Amino acid sequence: MSKRVQAKHKLDRRMGQNIWGRPKSPVNRREYGPGQHGQRRKGKMSDFGTQLRAKQKLKGYYGNITEKQFRRYYAEAIRLRGDSGENLVGLLERRLDAVVYRSKFVATPFAARQFVNHGHIRVNGVRVNIPSYLVKPDDVIEIKDSSKQLEIVVVASQLAERDVPDYIEVDHGKMTARMTRVPTLSEVPYPVQMEPNLVIEFYSR
């Protein structure tokens, strides 16, 4: 199990952006960076710095995936045919915890990882408790019957701050979801601009 070892919104402050588009983000109150030097003017960032920042942002968005696991996604993305940046985003969106989050079964990527870890999710009728499990198009993801009335699920399904994307079909009455296709970068509803091609460049150095 991968464990988050830092406060969720530290990434928001460091990047100066509301990464998850949440109303509680500290960036909504203070757009400058953290610490006593946070309000200083920033110099021009190097190519390495820009690439590193893109990697930290994308990796952090999916619940601070470990470096080892994220590097494996990069290796698979460049192995697949087509644009490596698009492939990377497709792999990340196929993660079971990402699909649970996109389906509005829970409110945050962090909650989605914990929800899967605790065994509340079934894939094609089989209990799966591995957040990094890669969902295939047409797999049926469902919340197990005894978990459907949990407050975290009921509240998340009614959140107005985000919508379910077009590439996922959801029935909140039955608490089931299905990924219809692997999305392209332009289809993924990131609250901020993600630059997976810079991530590919970072690892390709």
Coordinates of all heavy atoms in Angstrom, one line a residue, residues 95-180:
R95 N -6.1 3.7 -13.6 CA -6.0 3.2 -12.3 C -7.4 3.1 -11.6 O -8.2 3.9 -11.8 CB -5.2 4.2 -11.4 CG -3.7 4.1 -11.7 CD -3.0 5.2 -10.9 NE -3.2 5.1 -9.4 CZ -2.4 4.5 -8.6 NH1 -1.3 4.0 -9.0 NH2 -2.7 4.5 -7.3
L96 N -7.6 2.0 -10.8 CA -8.9 1.8 -10.2 C -9.3 3.0 -9.3 O -10.4 3.4 -9.3 CB -8.9 0.5 -9.4 CG -10.2 0.1 -8.7 CD1 -11.4 0.1 -9.7 CD2 -10.0 -1.2 -8.0
D97 N -8.3 3.5 -8.5 CA -8.7 4.6 -7.6 C -9.1 5.9 -8.4 O -9.9 6.6 -8.0 CB -7.6 4.9 -6.6 CG -6.2 5.2 -7.2 OD1 -6.1 5.1 -8.4 OD2 -5.3 5.5 -6.4
A98 N -8.4 6.1 -9.6 CA -8.8 7.2 -10.5 C -10.2 7.1 -11.0 O -10.9 8.0 -11.1 CB -7.8 7.3 -11.6
V99 N -10.6 5.8 -11.4 CA -11.9 5.6 -11.9 C -13.0 5.8 -10.9 O -14.0 6.4 -11.1 CB -12.0 4.2 -12.6 CG1 -13.5 3.9 -13.0 CG2 -11.1 4.0 -13.7
V100 N -12.6 5.4 -9.6 CA -13.6 5.5 -8.5 C -13.7 7.0 -8.2 O -14.9 7.5 -8.0 CB -13.0 4.8 -7.3 CG1 -13.8 5.2 -6.0 CG2 -13.1 3.3 -7.4
Y101 N -12.6 7.8 -8.3 CA -12.7 9.2 -8.1 C -13.5 9.9 -9.2 O -14.4 10.7 -8.9 CB -11.3 9.8 -8.0 CG -11.2 11.3 -8.0 CD1 -11.8 12.1 -7.0 CD2 -10.6 12.0 -9.1 CE1 -11.7 13.5 -7.0 CE2 -10.5 13.4 -9.1 CZ -11.0 14.1 -8.1 OH -10.9 15.5 -8.1
R102 N -13.2 9.6 -10.4 CA -13.9 10.2 -11.6 C -15.4 9.9 -11.6 O -16.2 10.7 -12.0 CB -13.3 9.7 -12.9 CG -11.9 10.1 -13.2 CD -11.8 11.5 -13.6 NE -10.4 11.9 -13.9 CZ -9.9 13.1 -13.6 NH1 -10.5 13.9 -12.8 NH2 -8.6 13.3 -13.9
S103 N -15.8 8.8 -11.0 CA -17.2 8.3 -11.0 C -17.9 9.0 -9.9 O -19.1 8.8 -9.7 CB -17.3 6.8 -10.8 OG -16.6 6.1 -11.8
K104 N -17.2 9.9 -9.1 CA -17.9 10.6 -8.0 C -18.4 9.7 -6.9 O -19.4 9.9 -6.3 CB -18.9 11.6 -8.5 CG -18.4 12.8 -9.2 CD -19.5 13.7 -9.7 CE -20.2 14.4 -8.5 NZ -21.1 15.5 -9.0
F105 N -17.7 8.5 -6.7 CA -18.1 7.7 -5.6 C -17.5 8.2 -4.3 O -18.0 7.9 -3.2 CB -17.6 6.2 -5.8 CG -18.3 5.5 -6.9 CD1 -17.7 4.5 -7.6 CD2 -19.6 5.8 -7.3 CE1 -18.3 3.8 -8.6 CE2 -20.3 5.2 -8.3 CZ -19.6 4.1 -9.0
V106 N -16.4 8.9 -4.4 CA -15.8 9.6 -3.2 C -15.3 11.0 -3.7 O -15.3 11.3 -4.9 CB -14.6 8.8 -2.7 CG1 -15.0 7.5 -2.0 CG2 -13.6 8.5 -3.8
A107 N -14.9 11.9 -2.7 CA -14.7 13.3 -3.0 C -13.3 13.6 -3.5 O -13.1 14.5 -4.2 CB -15.0 14.1 -1.8
T108 N -12.3 12.8 -3.1 CA -10.9 13.1 -3.5 C -10.1 11.9 -3.9 O -10.5 10.8 -3.6 CB -10.1 13.7 -2.3 OG1 -9.9 12.7 -1.3 CG2 -10.9 14.9 -1.7
P109 N -9.0 12.1 -4.7 CA -8.2 10.9 -5.0 C -7.6 10.2 -3.8 O -7.4 9.0 -3.9 CB -7.0 11.6 -5.8 CG -7.6 12.8 -6.3 CD -8.5 13.3 -5.3
F110 N -7.4 10.9 -2.7 CA -6.9 10.3 -1.5 C -7.9 9.4 -0.9 O -7.6 8.2 -0.5 CB -6.4 11.3 -0.5 CG -5.4 12.3 -1.1 CD1 -5.7 13.5 -1.6 CD2 -4.0 11.9 -1.1 CE1 -4.7 14.4 -2.1 CE2 -3.1 12.7 -1.6 CZ -3.4 14.0 -2.1
A111 N -9.2 9.8 -0.9 CA -10.3 9.1 -0.4 C -10.5 7.8 -1.2 O -10.9 6.8 -0.8 CB -11.5 9.9 -0.3
A112 N -10.3 8.0 -2.6 CA -10.5 6.9 -3.5 C -9.5 5.8 -3.2 O -9.9 4.6 -3.2 CB -10.4 7.4 -4.9
R113 N -8.3 6.1 -3.0 CA -7.3 5.1 -2.7 C -7.6 4.4 -1.4 O -7.5 3.1 -1.4 CB -5.9 5.8 -2.6 CG -4.8 4.8 -2.2 CD -3.4 5.4 -2.2 NE -3.1 6.0 -3.5 CZ -2.0 6.8 -3.7 NH1 -1.2 7.0 -2.7 NH2 -1.8 7.3 -4.8
Q114 N -8.0 5.1 -0.4 CA -8.4 4.4 0.9 C -9.6 3.6 0.7 O -9.7 2.5 1.2 CB -8.6 5.5 1.9 CG -8.8 4.9 3.3 CD -8.9 6.0 4.4 OE1 -9.8 6.9 4.2 NE2 -8.1 5.9 5.4
F115 N -10.6 4.1 -0.1 CA -11.8 3.3 -0.3 C -11.6 2.0 -1.0 O -12.1 1.0 -0.6 CB -12.7 4.2 -1.2 CG -14.2 3.8 -1.2 CD1 -14.9 4.0 0.0 CD2 -14.8 3.3 -2.3 CE1 -16.3 3.7 0.0 CE2 -16.2 3.0 -2.3 CZ -16.9 3.2 -1.1
V116 N -10.7 2.0 -2.0 CA -10.3 0.8 -2.7 C -9.5 -0.2 -1.7 O -9.8 -1.4 -1.6 CB -9.5 1.0 -3.9 CG1 -9.0 -0.3 -4.6 CG2 -10.3 1.9 -4.9
N117 N -8.6 0.4 -1.0 CA -7.8 -0.4 -0.1 C -8.6 -1.1 1.0 O -8.3 -2.2 1.4 CB -6.8 0.5 0.7 CG -5.4 0.6 0.0 OD1 -4.9 -0.4 -0.5 ND2 -4.8 1.8 -0.1
H118 N -9.7 -0.5 1.4 CA -10.5 -1.1 2.4 C -11.6 -2.1 1.9 O -12.4 -2.6 2.6 CB -11.3 0.0 3.2 CG -10.3 0.8 4.1 ND1 -10.8 1.8 4.9 CD2 -9.0 0.8 4.2 CE1 -9.7 2.3 5.6 NE2 -8.6 1.7 5.2
G119 N -11.5 -2.4 0.6 CA -12.3 -3.5 0.0 C -13.7 -3.2 -0.3 O -14.5 -4.0 -0.3
H120 N -14.0 -1.9 -0.6 CA -15.4 -1.5 -0.9 C -15.8 -1.7 -2.3 O -16.9 -1.5 -2.7 CB -15.6 0.0 -0.5 CG -15.5 0.3 1.0 ND1 -16.3 -0.2 1.9 CD2 -14.5 1.0 1.7 CE1 -15.9 0.2 3.1 NE2 -14.9 0.9 3.0
I121 N -14.8 -2.0 -3.2 CA -15.0 -2.0 -4.6 C -14.9 -3.4 -5.2 O -14.0 -4.2 -4.9 CB -14.0 -1.0 -5.3 CG1 -14.2 0.4 -4.9 CG2 -14.0 -1.2 -6.8 CD1 -15.5 1.0 -5.4
R122 N -15.8 -3.6 -6.2 CA -15.7 -4.9 -7.0 C -15.5 -4.5 -8.5 O -16.1 -3.5 -8.9 CB -17.0 -5.7 -6.9 CG -17.3 -6.2 -5.4 CD -18.6 -7.0 -5.4 NE -19.0 -7.3 -4.0 CZ -18.4 -8.3 -3.3 NH1 -17.5 -9.1 -3.8 NH2 -18.9 -8.5 -2.1
V123 N -14.7 -5.3 -9.2 CA -14.5 -5.1 -10.6 C -15.0 -6.4 -11.3 O -14.5 -7.5 -11.0 CB -13.0 -4.9 -11.0 CG1 -12.9 -4.7 -12.5 CG2 -12.5 -3.6 -10.2
N124 N -16.0 -6.3 -12.1 CA -16.6 -7.4 -12.8 C -17.1 -8.5 -11.7 O -16.9 -9.7 -12.0 CB -15.7 -8.0 -13.8 CG -15.3 -7.1 -14.9 OD1 -16.2 -6.2 -15.3 ND2 -14.1 -7.1 -15.4
G125 N -17.6 -8.0 -10.6 CA -18.1 -8.9 -9.6 C -17.1 -9.4 -8.6 O -17.4 -10.1 -7.6
V126 N -15.8 -9.1 -8.8 CA -14.7 -9.6 -8.0 C -14.1 -8.5 -7.1 O -13.8 -7.4 -7.6 CB -13.6 -10.2 -8.8 CG1 -12.4 -10.7 -7.9 CG2 -14.1 -11.4 -9.7
R127 N -14.0 -8.7 -5.8 CA -13.4 -7.7 -4.9 C -12.0 -7.4 -5.3 O -11.2 -8.3 -5.4 CB -13.5 -8.2 -3.5 CG -13.0 -7.2 -2.4 CD -13.3 -7.8 -1.0 NE -12.6 -7.1 0.0 CZ -11.4 -7.5 0.5 NH1 -10.8 -8.5 0.0 NH2 -10.9 -6.8 1.5
V128 N -11.7 -6.1 -5.5 CA -10.3 -5.7 -5.8 C -9.9 -4.6 -4.8 O -10.6 -3.6 -4.7 CB -10.2 -5.2 -7.2 CG1 -8.8 -4.7 -7.5 CG2 -10.6 -6.2 -8.3
N129 N -8.8 -4.8 -4.1 CA -8.4 -3.8 -3.1 C -7.0 -3.2 -3.4 O -6.3 -2.8 -2.6 CB -8.4 -4.4 -1.7 CG -7.4 -5.6 -1.5 OD1 -6.8 -6.0 -2.5 ND2 -7.4 -6.1 -0.4
I130 N -6.7 -3.2 -4.7 CA -5.4 -2.6 -5.2 C -5.7 -1.4 -6.0 O -6.2 -1.4 -7.1 CB -4.7 -3.7 -6.1 CG1 -4.4 -5.0 -5.3 CG2 -3.3 -3.1 -6.6 CD1 -3.9 -6.1 -6.2
P131 N -5.4 -0.2 -5.4 CA -5.7 1.1 -6.1 C -5.1 1.2 -7.5 O -5.6 1.9 -8.3 CB -5.1 2.1 -5.1 CG -5.1 1.5 -3.8 CD -4.8 0.0 -4.1
S132 N -3.9 0.6 -7.7 CA -3.2 0.7 -9.0 C -3.6 -0.3 -10.0 O -3.1 -0.3 -11.1 CB -1.7 0.6 -8.7 OG -1.4 -0.7 -8.2
Y133 N -4.6 -1.1 -9.7 CA -5.2 -2.0 -10.6 C -5.6 -1.3 -11.9 O -6.3 -0.3 -11.8 CB -6.4 -2.8 -10.0 CG -7.1 -3.7 -10.9 CD1 -6.8 -5.0 -11.0 CD2 -8.2 -3.2 -11.7 CE1 -7.5 -5.9 -11.9 CE2 -8.9 -4.1 -12.5 CZ -8.6 -5.4 -12.6 OH -9.2 -6.2 -13.5
L134 N -5.2 -1.8 -13.1 CA -5.6 -1.1 -14.3 C -6.9 -1.6 -14.9 O -7.0 -2.7 -15.3 CB -4.4 -1.2 -15.3 CG -3.1 -0.5 -15.1 CD1 -2.1 -0.7 -16.2 CD2 -3.4 1.0 -14.8
V135 N -7.9 -0.7 -14.9 CA -9.2 -1.0 -15.4 C -9.1 -1.0 -17.0 O -8.5 -0.2 -17.6 CB -10.2 0.1 -15.0 CG1 -11.6 -0.1 -15.6 CG2 -10.3 0.1 -13.4
K136 N -9.8 -2.0 -17.6 CA -9.9 -2.0 -19.0 C -11.3 -1.5 -19.5 O -12.2 -1.6 -18.7 CB -9.7 -3.5 -19.5 CG -8.4 -4.1 -19.2 CD -8.2 -5.5 -19.8 CE -9.1 -6.5 -19.1 NZ -8.6 -6.8 -17.7
P137 N -11.3 -0.9 -20.7 CA -12.6 -0.5 -21.2 C -13.7 -1.6 -21.1 O -13.4 -2.7 -21.4 CB -12.4 -0.1 -22.6 CG -10.9 0.3 -22.6 CD -10.3 -0.6 -21.6
D138 N -14.9 -1.2 -20.6 CA -16.0 -2.1 -20.4 C -16.0 -2.9 -19.2 O -16.9 -3.7 -18.9 CB -16.2 -3.0 -21.7 CG -16.7 -2.3 -22.9 OD1 -17.3 -1.2 -22.7 OD2 -16.3 -2.7 -24.0
D139 N -14.9 -2.8 -18.3 CA -15.0 -3.4 -17.0 C -16.1 -2.7 -16.2 O -16.2 -1.5 -16.3 CB -13.6 -3.2 -16.3 CG -12.6 -4.2 -16.7 OD1 -12.9 -5.2 -17.5 OD2 -11.4 -4.1 -16.3
V140 N -16.8 -3.4 -15.4 CA -17.8 -2.9 -14.5 C -17.3 -2.7 -13.1 O -16.9 -3.7 -12.5 CB -19.1 -3.8 -14.5 CG1 -20.1 -3.2 -13.6 CG2 -19.7 -3.9 -15.9
I141 N -17.3 -1.5 -12.7 CA -16.8 -1.2 -11.3 C -18.1 -0.9 -10.5 O -18.9 -0.1 -10.9 CB -15.9 0.1 -11.3 CG1 -14.6 -0.3 -12.0 CG2 -15.5 0.5 -9.9 CD1 -14.6 0.0 -13.5
E142 N -18.2 -1.5 -9.3 CA -19.3 -1.3 -8.5 C -18.9 -1.2 -7.0 O -17.9 -1.8 -6.6 CB -20.4 -2.3 -8.7 CG -19.9 -3.7 -8.3 CD -21.0 -4.8 -8.6 OE1 -22.2 -4.5 -8.4 OE2 -20.6 -5.9 -9.0
I143 N -19.7 -0.5 -6.2 CA -19.5 -0.4 -4.8 C -20.2 -1.6 -4.2 O -21.4 -1.8 -4.6 CB -20.0 0.9 -4.2 CG1 -19.2 2.1 -4.8 CG2 -19.9 0.9 -2.7 CD1 -19.7 3.4 -4.3
K144 N -19.6 -2.4 -3.3 CA -20.3 -3.5 -2.7 C -21.5 -3.1 -1.9 O -21.6 -1.9 -1.4 CB -19.3 -4.3 -1.9 CG -18.9 -3.7 -0.6 CD -18.0 -4.7 0.2 CE -17.7 -4.1 1.6 NZ -16.9 -5.1 2.4
D145 N -22.5 -3.9 -1.9 CA -23.9 -3.6 -1.4 C -23.8 -3.0 0.0 O -24.5 -2.0 0.3 CB -24.8 -4.8 -1.3 CG -25.2 -5.2 -2.7 OD1 -25.1 -4.4 -3.6 OD2 -25.6 -6.4 -2.9
S146 N -23.0 -3.5 0.9 CA -22.9 -3.1 2.3 C -22.3 -1.7 2.4 O -22.3 -1.1 3.5 CB -22.2 -4.1 3.2 OG -20.8 -4.2 2.7
S147 N -21.7 -1.2 1.4 CA -21.0 0.1 1.4 C -21.7 1.2 0.7 O -21.3 2.4 0.8 CB -19.6 0.0 0.8 OG -18.8 -1.0 1.5
K148 N -22.8 0.9 0.0 CA -23.5 1.9 -0.8 C -24.1 3.1 -0.1 O -24.3 4.1 -0.7 CB -24.5 1.2 -1.7 CG -23.9 0.3 -2.8 CD -25.0 -0.4 -3.6 CE -24.4 -1.2 -4.7 NZ -25.3 -2.0 -5.5
Q149 N -24.4 2.9 1.2 CA -25.1 3.9 2.0 C -24.1 4.6 2.9 O -24.5 5.4 3.7 CB -26.2 3.3 2.8 CG -27.4 2.8 1.9 CD -27.9 3.8 0.9 OE1 -28.1 4.9 1.2 NE2 -28.1 3.3 -0.3
L150 N -22.8 4.4 2.7 CA -21.8 5.1 3.5 C -21.9 6.6 3.3 O -22.1 7.1 2.1 CB -20.4 4.7 3.2 CG -20.0 3.2 3.7 CD1 -18.7 2.9 3.2 CD2 -20.1 3.2 5.2
E151 N -21.8 7.4 4.3 CA -22.0 8.9 4.1 C -21.0 9.5 3.1 O -21.3 10.3 2.3 CB -21.7 9.6 5.5 CG -22.0 11.1 5.4 CD -21.8 11.8 6.8 OE1 -21.4 11.1 7.7 OE2 -21.9 13.0 6.8
I152 N -19.7 9.0 3.1 CA -18.7 9.5 2.2 C -19.2 9.3 0.7 O -18.9 10.1 -0.1 CB -17.4 8.7 2.4 CG1 -16.3 9.4 1.6 CG2 -17.5 7.2 2.2 CD1 -14.9 8.8 1.8
V153 N -19.9 8.2 0.4 CA -20.4 7.9 -0.9 C -21.6 8.8 -1.3 O -21.6 9.4 -2.3 CB -20.8 6.4 -1.0 CG1 -21.4 6.1 -2.4 CG2 -19.6 5.5 -0.8
V154 N -22.5 8.9 -0.4 CA -23.7 9.7 -0.6 C -23.4 11.2 -0.8 O -23.9 11.8 -1.7 CB -24.7 9.6 0.6 CG1 -25.9 10.5 0.4 CG2 -25.2 8.1 0.7
V155 N -22.5 11.7 0.0 CA -22.1 13.1 -0.1 C -21.3 13.4 -1.4 O -21.6 14.3 -2.1 CB -21.2 13.5 1.1 CG1 -20.6 14.9 0.9 CG2 -22.0 13.5 2.4
A156 N -20.4 12.5 -1.8 CA -19.6 12.7 -3.0 C -20.4 12.7 -4.2 O -20.2 13.4 -5.1 CB -18.5 11.6 -3.0
S157 N -21.4 11.8 -4.3 CA -22.2 11.7 -5.5 C -23.0 13.0 -5.8 O -23.5 13.2 -6.9 CB -23.2 10.5 -5.4 OG -24.1 10.7 -4.4
Q158 N -23.2 13.8 -4.7 CA -24.0 15.0 -4.9 C -23.1 16.3 -5.0 O -23.6 17.4 -5.1 CB -24.9 15.2 -3.6 CG -25.9 14.0 -3.5 CD -26.7 14.0 -2.2 OE1 -26.4 14.8 -1.3 NE2 -27.7 13.2 -2.1
L159 N -21.8 16.1 -5.0 CA -20.9 17.3 -5.1 C -21.1 18.0 -6.5 O -21.2 17.4 -7.5 CB -19.4 16.8 -5.1 CG -18.9 16.5 -3.7 CD1 -17.4 16.0 -3.8 CD2 -18.9 17.7 -2.8
A160 N -21.2 19.3 -6.4 CA -21.4 20.1 -7.6 C -20.1 20.6 -8.1 O -20.1 21.2 -9.2 CB -22.4 21.3 -7.2
E161 N -19.0 20.4 -7.5 CA -17.7 21.0 -7.9 C -17.1 20.4 -9.1 O -16.2 20.9 -9.7 CB -16.7 21.1 -6.7 CG -16.3 19.7 -6.2 CD -15.6 19.8 -4.9 OE1 -16.1 20.4 -3.9 OE2 -14.4 19.2 -4.8
R162 N -17.6 19.2 -9.5 CA -17.0 18.5 -10.7 C -18.1 17.6 -11.2 O -19.0 17.1 -10.5 CB -15.7 17.8 -10.4 CG -15.9 16.7 -9.3 CD -14.5 16.1 -8.9 NE -14.7 15.1 -7.8 CZ -14.8 13.8 -8.0 NH1 -14.8 13.4 -9.2 NH2 -15.0 13.0 -7.0
D163 N -17.9 17.2 -12.5 CA -18.8 16.3 -13.2 C -18.1 15.1 -13.6 O -16.9 15.0 -13.7 CB -19.4 17.0 -14.5 CG -20.2 18.3 -14.2 OD1 -21.0 18.2 -13.2 OD2 -20.0 19.3 -14.9
V164 N -18.9 14.0 -13.9 CA -18.3 12.8 -14.4 C -18.0 13.0 -15.8 O -18.8 13.4 -16.6 CB -19.3 11.6 -14.2 CG1 -18.8 10.3 -14.8 CG2 -19.7 11.4 -12.8
P165 N -16.7 12.6 -16.2 CA -16.3 12.8 -17.6 C -17.0 11.9 -18.6 O -17.6 10.9 -18.2 CB -14.8 12.5 -17.6 CG -14.6 11.7 -16.4 CD -15.6 12.1 -15.4
D166 N -17.0 12.3 -19.9 CA -17.7 11.5 -20.9 C -17.3 10.1 -21.1 O -18.1 9.2 -21.6 CB -17.6 12.2 -22.3 CG -18.3 13.6 -22.3 OD1 -19.2 13.8 -21.4 OD2 -18.0 14.4 -23.1
Y167 N -16.0 9.8 -20.8 CA -15.5 8.4 -21.0 C -15.9 7.4 -19.9 O -15.4 6.3 -19.9 CB -14.0 8.5 -21.2 CG -13.2 9.2 -20.2 CD1 -12.7 8.5 -19.1 CD2 -12.9 10.5 -20.3 CE1 -12.0 9.2 -18.1 CE2 -12.2 11.2 -19.4 CZ -11.7 10.5 -18.3 OH -11.0 11.2 -17.3
I168 N -16.6 7.9 -18.9 CA -17.1 7.0 -17.8 C -18.6 7.1 -17.7 O -19.2 8.2 -17.7 CB -16.5 7.4 -16.5 CG1 -15.0 7.1 -16.6 CG2 -17.1 6.6 -15.3 CD1 -14.2 7.5 -15.3
E169 N -19.3 5.9 -17.8 CA -20.7 5.9 -17.6 C -21.0 5.5 -16.2 O -20.5 4.5 -15.7 CB -21.4 4.9 -18.6 CG -21.3 5.3 -20.0 CD -21.9 4.2 -20.9 OE1 -22.3 3.1 -20.4 OE2 -22.1 4.5 -22.1
V170 N -21.8 6.2 -15.5 CA -22.1 6.0 -14.0 C -23.6 5.9 -13.8 O -24.4 6.7 -14.3 CB -21.5 7.1 -13.2 CG1 -21.8 6.8 -11.7 CG2 -20.0 7.2 -13.4
D171 N -24.0 5.0 -13.0 CA -25.3 4.9 -12.5 C -25.3 5.0 -10.9 O -24.9 4.1 -10.2 CB -26.0 3.5 -12.8 CG -27.4 3.4 -12.4 OD1 -27.8 4.1 -11.5 OD2 -28.2 2.6 -13.0
H172 N -25.5 6.3 -10.4 CA -25.4 6.5 -9.0 C -26.5 5.8 -8.2 O -26.4 5.7 -7.0 CB -25.4 8.0 -8.7 CG -24.0 8.6 -9.0 ND1 -23.8 9.6 -9.8 CD2 -22.8 8.3 -8.5 CE1 -22.5 9.9 -9.9 NE2 -21.9 9.1 -9.1
G173 N -27.6 5.4 -8.9 CA -28.7 4.7 -8.2 C -28.2 3.3 -7.8 O -28.4 2.8 -6.7
K174 N -27.5 2.6 -8.8 CA -27.0 1.3 -8.6 C -25.5 1.3 -8.0 O -25.0 0.3 -7.7 CB -27.0 0.5 -9.8 CG -28.4 0.2 -10.4 CD -28.4 -0.6 -11.7 CE -29.8 -0.9 -12.2 NZ -29.8 -1.6 -13.5
M175 N -24.9 2.5 -8.1 CA -23.5 2.7 -7.7 C -22.6 1.8 -8.5 O -21.7 1.1 -8.0 CB -23.3 2.4 -6.2 CG -23.9 3.5 -5.3 SD -23.1 5.1 -5.5 CE -24.1 6.2 -4.5
T176 N -22.8 1.9 -9.8 CA -21.9 1.2 -10.8 C -21.3 2.2 -11.8 O -21.9 3.2 -12.0 CB -22.7 0.1 -11.5 OG1 -23.7 0.7 -12.3 CG2 -23.3 -0.9 -10.6
A177 N -20.2 1.8 -12.3 CA -19.5 2.7 -13.3 C -18.8 1.8 -14.4 O -18.5 0.6 -14.1 CB -18.5 3.6 -12.6
R178 N -18.6 2.4 -15.5 CA -17.9 1.6 -16.6 C -17.1 2.6 -17.4 O -17.6 3.6 -17.9 CB -19.0 0.9 -17.5 CG -18.4 0.1 -18.6 CD -19.5 -0.7 -19.4 NE -20.3 0.2 -20.1 CZ -20.1 0.6 -21.4 NH1 -19.0 0.1 -22.0 NH2 -20.9 1.4 -22.1
M179 N -15.8 2.3 -17.6 CA -15.0 3.1 -18.5 C -15.2 2.7 -19.9 O -15.0 1.5 -20.3 CB -13.5 3.0 -18.1 CG -12.6 3.8 -19.0 SD -10.9 3.6 -18.6 CE -10.7 5.0 -17.4
T180 N -15.8 3.6 -20.7 CA -16.1 3.2 -22.1 C -14.9 3.2 -23.0 O -14.9 2.5 -24.0 CB -17.2 4.2 -22.7 OG1 -16.7 5.5 -22.6 CG2 -18.5 4.1 -21.8

